[in-house]
């Protein structure tokens, strides 16, 4: 599987997501309120196109995706790396909220997450989502683009796809950073399991925190939203800039230690040296079209078009 096939897979993913969202809104609107089932359907749409292209290309899934062993000590240090990088993710989350809502908080409150079993939320957010999203973005997409276009371009492009796949600007802002950090982990360990663990710890810790807050006060995010002003966000951004300036170098030191522990010392600087390597063209028409359609979804333009079509069909049928 190369970069061009990955671009076609991404286009099919976006089209499949649009079909899923609009189809369910039309035929089965109640399912949108079921976190587990809704998430499983979304993850299936995300991962199926790349898995099909990978199998058609004759790739062996385990080796191509990078399911290699990693040391327990490296796994423990990956958890430490995760918590050290959380401030920079929060920083980008706050920056995005200068223009858009906190989409995760809105979703959690609308779906009444505080009323559902915690194990169901953890299964959906910290097991299902990390596994499928990592085999897709850090597995298939990153490997395909790296084969065709070099490590740095592959890292940036797979991270962009990961960001757009969330279909909202708030999550996209910090998902792009997650994508870059997850790729660095995969390179440092040589194993996709490291990025799955990284993603799972992020989602799991946030899910538990949000669950406990919503259980204590179901309206907590509505109440906080009224308190969040531009000045409040700017103070938060300034504070997290200071915290990130301290924790991010420590996270890099942990990453370097992990690479040495896995016998891959020097692999991280090598990624930067590879940036000037010229390989195959990876920016193609299907990729541009997929990004354009994803942008339409994120801005809500596609939803407004769908509503107009739905209203027209409803009026016509009546």
């Amino acid at each position: 599987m190369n970069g061009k096939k990955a671009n076609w897979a991404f286009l099919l993913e976006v089209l499949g997501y649009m079909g899923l969202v609009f189809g369910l809104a039309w035929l089965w609107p109640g399912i949108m309120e079921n976190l587990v089932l809704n998430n499983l359907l979304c993850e299936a749409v995300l991962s199926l196109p790349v898995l099909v292209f990978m199998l058609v290309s004759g790739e062996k899934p385990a080796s191509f995706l990078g399911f290699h062993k990693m040391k327990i000590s490296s796994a423990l240090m990956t958890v430490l790396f995760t918590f050290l990088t959380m401030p920079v993710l929060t920083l980008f989350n706050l920056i995005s909220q200068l223009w858009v809502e906190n989409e995760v908080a809105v979703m959690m409150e609308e779906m009444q997450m505080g009323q559902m079993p915690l194990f169901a939320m953890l299964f959906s957010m910290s097991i299902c989502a990390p596994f499928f999203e990592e085999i897709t973005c850090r597995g298939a997409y990153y490997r395909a683009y790296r084969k065709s276009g070099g490590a740095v371009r592959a890292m940036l492009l797979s991270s962009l796809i990961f960001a757009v796949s969330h279909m909202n600007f708030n999550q996209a802002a910090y998902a792009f950073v997650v994508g870059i950090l997850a790729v660095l982990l995969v390179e440092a360990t040589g194993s996709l399991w490291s990025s799955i663990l990284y993603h799972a710890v992020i989602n799991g810790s946030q899910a538990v925190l949000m669950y406990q807050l919503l259980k204590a006060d179901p309206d907590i995010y509505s109440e906080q939203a009224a308190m969040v002003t531009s000045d409040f966000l700017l103070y938060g951004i300034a504070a997290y800039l200071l915290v990130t300036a301290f924790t991010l170098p420590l996270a890099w030191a942990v990453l370097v230690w992990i690479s040495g522990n896995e016998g891959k010392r020097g692999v991280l600087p090598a990624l930067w040296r590879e940036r000037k390597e010229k390989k195959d063209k990876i920016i193609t028409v299907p990729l541009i079209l997929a990004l354009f359609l994803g942008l339409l979804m994120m801005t809500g333009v596609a939803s407004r078009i769908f509503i107009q079509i739905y209203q027209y069909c409803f009026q016509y049928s009546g």
Side-chain angles (χ1 to χ4, degrees), residues 56-216:
V56 170
S57 300
E59 304 285 359
K60 295 181 179 179
S63 59
F64 180 74
L65 296 174
F67 280 113
H68 307 304
K69 293 180 180 179
M70 60 182 291
K71 297 178 180 179
I72 295 177
S73 54
S74 295
L76 293 174
M77 292 299 279
T78 295
V79 175
L80 175 59
F81 175 81
T82 305
F83 285 107
L84 287 172
T85 58
M86 280 187 178
V88 71
L89 304 183
T90 303
L91 173 62
F92 277 84
N93 186 14
L94 291 172
I95 292 173
S96 72
Q97 289 181 60
L98 289 171
W99 297 279
V100 296
E101 285 185 300
N102 185 332
E103 293 290 341
V104 174
V106 172
M107 178 195 71
M108 296 280 281
E109 191 168 54
E110 286 180 350
M111 290 189 173
Q112 299 181 335
M113 298 300 185
Q115 307 302 317
M116 71 180 301
L118 179 60
F119 76 86
M121 184 186 298
L122 288 175
F123 170 77
S124 178
M125 296 180 65
S126 62
I127 296 178
C128 178
F131 182 77
F132 285 104
E133 291 172 16
E134 291 306 313
I135 66 172
T136 301
C137 295
R138 256 63 65 188
Y141 284 130
Y142 176 65
R143 302 276 179 178
Y145 290 130
R146 184 166 186 189
K147 182 188 294 185
S148 299
V152 173
R153 285 195 293 168
M155 175 175 64
L156 294 175
L157 191 49
S158 62
S159 298
L160 177 61
I161 286 176
F162 181 59
V164 173
S165 295
H166 285 79
M167 294 297 172
N168 66 77
F169 288 106
N170 172 236
Q171 285 181 286
Y174 55 87
F176 183 77
V177 182
V178 169
I180 291 174
L181 295 171
V183 164
L184 293 176
L185 263 176
V186 168
E187 289 291 342
T189 61
S191 175
L192 187 66
W193 289 116
S194 61
S195 67
I196 292 174
L197 176 61
Y198 177 65
H199 198 158
V201 173
I202 291 173
N203 283 16
S205 59
Q206 295 305 303
V208 170
L209 175 61
M210 288 185 167
Y211 177 83
Q212 294 300 333
L213 290 174
L214 285 169
K215 196 171 183 64

